[in-house]
Amino acid sequence: MLYIKGAAQVVTVSGGSQAPKTGAGMERLNVIESGGVVAEGGVIAFVGTDREAEEYVAVHGSGKDITVLPAEGKLVTPGLIDPHTHAVFAGSREHELPLRLRGATYMEILQAGGGILNSAAKTRAASEVQLIEETRKRLDRFLAHGVTTIEAKSGYGLRLEDELKQLRAARTLHLEHPVDLVSTFMGAHAVPQEHKADPEAYVKIVTEEMIPAVAKAGLAEYCDVFCEEGVFTPEQSRRILEAGIKWGLKPKIHADEIVPYGGAELAAEVGAVSAEHLLHTSDEGIRAMAAKGVIAVLLPGTAFFLMTKPADARKMIDAGVPVALSTDRNPGSSPTESLPFIMNLACLTMRMSPAEALTACTINAAHAIGRADRIGSIEAGKQADLVIFDAPNVDYLQYHYAVNLTETVIKNGVPVILQGKRVYA
Ligand code: NIG
Ligand code: FE
């Protein structure tokens, strides 16, 4: 039995397991002042005031081995969830930073055969073991920042064998590492060099060969596409997402990241679980997403790193679109594992409130990856994924920016980071 005792605040984010929180609901964190949490058998057994928690432990804990984690003056939240990453790749792309600082754009670098294609060449050349070991370090960093579950997309293989290699690496890490991974197939991340002259041929390979193979191997739950001018058109994106649906892969979409391109509208039409980026989404697109309950996964770190204006989070929240946040961890447009810093940016660059930002990284993020029944809030019966932050309240967490306040991380009821120290194998 594990007992987190005497926290200044336990932020439960309860009441959103059935549907993502929207509008004013995103503000409601259901905070317990002077709270306690008890976990047993990997799940949350009790959450309430510390007085109640102590009673619970006295009644149910007698004769049991009890680990007490004192949390006086600290903040307890659900384990953070990152619903959009490209965390499985080889190498890095720091050489693009000086290029971009001298004025080259992200798309120019891609169109010249760099960007995603540079990472694809490195990922193709890497062995599966190499890929696992490079990614493992990223997962260690996610965990150190309080992130207990991530979504991970393929899309640096861009041919069947290497897409499968990436997805297998994700599955291995899901089994081996404390961070849980939810896999998305994103073969349609870029058109590989060998099909540059005939992108349609590549779309055919994605829809007719890759999607069936990935689905048959049971290696992904979602299918994503980079719907962007110069990458995949809305029409191609629709065919790719529909092929995914046919094979049981739920649709997600990179939409309106660089230019307005009808990605949000397409997300609503195909019934996508989520649309991501959305920097240039039209009002019509926002209305369509709200009407269909498509979750907006916003990535203010990507806008920051590409030195551009972030998505209009306020407009989306006001329109009733459920909003989640993510790092977008990838080697080109967002090389960070700090989801807490993304929350800071969400507040400071998109004017989300501290509470909205936390909702967006917990229960709404859980919905974006189909896990809201098990994670994303502190409620009895849910998986005991918890974080203790060295912060007295949620406002403080979002205000003391760009530092890691994560002190202790509990995964499935077991401490994996304790007082800032790694305690897992
Ligand atoms: O979400 N936009 C497309 N994909 C990633 C970037 C991937 C990369 O640059 O390697 C993104 O920003
Ligand atoms: Fe992305």
Side-chain angles (χ1 to χ4, degrees):
M1 186 176 262
L2 181 102
Y3 172 23
I4 302 177
K5 185 176 166 42
Q9 292 194 335
V10 173
V11 187
T12 66
V13 205
S14 63
S17 296
Q18 299 306 315
K21 295 192 183 224
T22 56
M26 284 190 67
E27 282 286 342
R28 284 193 281 275
L29 294 176
N30 299 326
V31 173
I32 302 167
E33 309 282 340
S34 304
V37 185
V38 183
E40 199 175 9
V43 299
I44 295 161
F46 183 84
V47 53
T49 63
D50 198 47
R51 178 125 39 100
E52 292 166 337
E54 213 170 315
E55 251 173 59
Y56 182 93
V57 172
V59 174
H60 300 272
S62 69
K64 290 181 187 162
D65 205 12
I66 303 166
T67 305
V68 181
L69 298 177
E72 278 78 18
K74 308 284 160 77
L75 180 70
V76 179
T77 74
L80 302 181
I81 299 167
D82 192 329
H84 175 144
T85 86
H86 309 253
V88 187
F89 60 86
S92 57
R93 307 219 302 269
E94 62 276 22
H95 65 279
E96 289 177 9
L97 178 62
L99 294 178
R100 289 196 297 106
L101 293 173
R102 286 199 294 270
T105 68
Y106 177 79
M107 280 318 248
E108 281 165 4
I109 293 170
L110 175 61
Q111 265 134 24
I116 295 171
L117 297 176
N118 176 298
S119 294
K122 289 169 179 156
T123 303
R124 285 177 176 186
S127 71
E128 193 165 324
V129 171
Q130 241 173 300
L131 207 47
I132 289 169
E133 293 320 314
E134 285 195 37
T135 307
R136 193 190 302 277
K137 284 201 204 170
R138 297 175 197 127
L139 298 184
D140 290 341
R141 260 184 242 115
F142 270 119
L143 198 63
H145 286 88
V147 179
T148 47
T149 301
I150 67 166
E151 182 254 20
K153 304 174 195 293
S154 69
Y156 293 114
L158 306 180
R159 63 182 178 207
L160 181 59
E161 66 208 85
D162 294 300
E163 288 291 311
L164 291 174
K165 179 175 73 183
Q166 263 191 290
L167 292 167
R168 280 194 308 268
R171 185 181 57 188
T172 300
L173 286 163
H174 170 67
L175 296 172
E176 288 183 7
H177 196 278
V179 171
D180 284 330
L181 284 86
V182 173
S183 284
T184 294
F185 166 68
M186 198 177 178
H189 193 195
V191 177
Q193 289 290 27
E194 63 272 23
H195 293 292
K196 206 174 166 193
D198 186 8
E200 260 309 309
Y202 185 63
V203 173
K204 204 164 145 60
I205 291 171
V206 169
T207 54
E208 294 178 13
E209 293 173 30
M210 291 187 181
I211 287 175
V214 167
K216 279 185 203 152
L219 279 170
E221 284 179 47
Y222 294 91
C223 178
D224 198 342
V225 53
F226 191 10
C227 178
E228 192 69 48
E229 197 169 76
V231 193
F232 296 97
T233 67
E235 192 274 324
Q236 290 170 329
S237 301
R238 177 197 298 277
R239 274 189 279 139
I240 289 161
L241 295 178
E242 281 174 351
I245 292 169
K246 195 175 123 205
W247 283 93
L249 303 179
K250 288 166 274 183
K252 284 179 170 284
I253 180 168
H254 277 59
D256 310 316
E257 178 180 356
I258 316 283
V259 296
Y261 208 40
E265 290 85 339
L266 178 61
E269 274 171 48
V270 301
V273 180
S274 58
E276 341 234 312
H277 288 287
L278 306 170
L279 270 61
H280 301 278
T281 295
S282 67
D283 290 352
E284 192 43 55
I286 292 175
R287 269 195 296 277
M289 284 179 64
K292 288 287 176 62
V294 179
I295 298 170
V297 177
L298 304 184
L299 314 157
T302 309
F304 170 73
F305 194 71
L306 295 184
M307 299 174 286
T308 180
K309 209 164 76 52
D312 196 339
R314 286 262 56 89
K315 203 185 246 182
M316 293 181 206
I317 293 171
D318 291 348
V321 176
V323 169
L325 288 166
S326 155
T327 60
D328 194 18
R329 176 62 174 111
N330 73 69
S333 70
S334 192
T336 183
E337 291 90 3
S338 178
L339 196 51
F341 180 55
I342 300 301
M343 290 197 284
N344 303 154
L345 287 176
C347 297
L348 297 169
T349 71
M350 301 197 299
R351 294 178 185 266
M352 284 176 69
S353 73
E356 287 170 341
L358 191 60
T359 296
C361 289
T362 53
I363 194 68
N364 281 10
H367 279 286
I369 54 169
R371 294 290 188 280
D373 55 331
R374 280 155 53 189
I375 54 176
S377 60
I378 307 180
E379 294 177 85
K382 275 198 162 177
Q383 200 167 299
D385 291 359
L386 303 157
V387 186
I388 305 177
F389 287 105
D390 186 14
N393 54 59
V394 176
D395 288 352
Y396 187 95
L397 182 70
Q398 312 298 25
Y399 133 99
H400 192 154
Y401 81 103
V403 294
N404 190 10
L405 298 170
T406 308
E407 203 171 88
T408 293
V409 182
I410 291 135
K411 182 67 190 181
N412 288 313
V414 178
V416 282
I417 306 279
L418 197 53
Q419 304 285 349
K421 298 226 164 31
R422 170 186 170 147
V423 289
Y424 59 98

